[in-house]
Amino acid sequence: MFLDDFHTLTDGRIRISAQQASQFAKRIAGDYNPIHNPDARRFCVPGDLLFALVLARFGLSQRMTFRFLSMVGDGTPLCFSEQDDGKIRVCDESGKCYLEVERSGGATHDESVVEAFTRSYVAFSGKNFPHYLKPLMEEKGVMFNPRRPLVIYDSMGFCLDRLDAPAPSLEFVDSSLEVTGKRGEARLEFRILAGDQSIGTGSKKLVVSGLCDYDAAAMDEVVAEFYRLKAAHEAGS
């Protein structure tokens, strides 16, 4: 399985090291958010890696909703389980819940289908910044603190008409940003395609904290750093 490099299973618990998480973010998601760097002061495991592990373990359902409740740190032992209320939860050994998943409709455990959907979604999701967020923040005249950018994955959901697409793709449809004080909620809407045929829709919600007035020069520096990190990673791959 393509996720084997990005987690370790020991005594029924999944552990994700900071290095594994960072490699997933960069290699699979194309995500260079500094919060996923191993040495980040507020390091956290990418939500997309937890999403991918849930699909690998429980399959792909027609309707799924993922709610990210807290950030997972380096090496935290995690239990992925379906509980009595039908929800899938990712919790640590003390019972703290990091991710809650609801699902309904048909399901598939076909590894090739699940992996293809996972890769397609994660590649789309990893483009949060600068592809989608920068234009939104510029339009609203706000931005995150350039010295400590903080963009948190809040939730996502999708609905599929069919589960047999061998190579689905995701297409960006629309986006919005609601600003309340120093906090912003961004929504990204997408369409799921099999070839040219639409087979589903979905949306993703992000929370941007510590908003301040938009500064074009400061934003240009943040974007330049993103592409510097991307180029450095690709050169070393």
Side-chain angles (χ1 to χ4, degrees):
M1 187 66 179
F2 83 103
L3 296 175
D4 288 350
D5 289 343
F6 309 114
H7 73 287
T8 303
L9 180 62
T10 307
D11 297 328
R13 297 289 186 269
I14 285 178
R15 288 177 169 82
I16 303 166
S17 71
Q19 189 62 37
Q20 288 172 320
S22 181
Q23 285 299 305
F24 177 88
K26 295 173 175 63
R27 284 169 50 188
I28 306 299
D31 181 355
Y32 296 89
N33 186 337
I35 202 170
H36 303 316
N37 291 340
D39 58 353
R41 187 176 64 85
R42 299 186 66 181
F43 165 83
C44 77
V45 170
D48 284 333
L49 178 49
L50 300 179
F51 162 86
L53 288 166
V54 166
L55 262 58
R57 185 158 186 159
F58 298 98
L60 173 66
S61 296
Q62 284 185 281
R63 290 174 290 280
M64 301 187 80
T65 301
F66 294 73
R67 295 177 57 239
F68 296 89
L69 305 176
S70 191
M71 296 190 294
V72 177
D74 177 18
T76 302
L78 299 171
C79 177
F80 288 61
S81 63
E82 183 172 12
Q83 301 184 350
D84 292 342
D85 59 4
K87 294 181 181 179
I88 297 166
R89 291 186 173 87
V90 178
C91 302
D92 64 18
E93 293 175 319
S94 70
K96 180 179 180 179
C97 186
Y98 296 88
L99 171 61
E100 186 176 85
V101 184
E102 295 185 56
R103 58 180 177 161
S104 61
T108 180
H109 293 268
D110 184 311
E111 288 187 8
S112 62
V113 170
V114 172
E115 179 175 337
F117 183 85
T118 299
R119 285 184 179 274
S120 183
Y121 174 73
V122 169
F124 168 84
S125 181
K127 294 180 179 178
N128 291 334
F129 182 85
H131 306 78
Y132 306 127
L133 281 180
K134 179 180 179 292
L136 279 177
M137 292 189 291
E138 187 172 12
E139 177 186 340
K140 293 289 186 178
V142 297
M143 64 181 288
F144 44 59
N145 182 339
R147 294 179 299 279
R148 194 172 61 186
L150 188 58
V151 179
I152 302 299
Y153 197 168
D154 179 88
S155 58
M156 70 82 69
F158 59 83
C159 180
L160 288 164
D161 298 327
R162 45 182 276 216
L163 292 166
D164 60 348
S169 60
L170 269 70
E171 178 181 77
F172 173 74
V173 174
D174 197 10
S175 62
S176 62
L177 176 64
E178 292 186 11
V179 177
T180 305
K182 293 185 177 298
R183 174 186 168 97
E185 292 187 356
R187 290 189 180 273
L188 308 178
E189 310 290 334
F190 56 89
R191 182 182 296 114
I192 305 161
L193 303 170
D196 295 330
Q197 179 186 10
S198 175
I199 61 168
T201 58
S203 66
K204 175 179 181 179
K205 178 181 173 183
L206 300 163
V207 174
V208 188
S209 300
L211 292 178
C212 57
D213 290 340
Y214 191 85
D215 182 325
M219 179 58 75
D220 287 346
E221 290 182 8
V222 176
V223 173
E225 176 65 5
F226 170 90
Y227 284 109
R228 186 193 70 78
L229 292 171
K230 183 175 187 292
H233 174 75
E234 291 173 348
S237 298

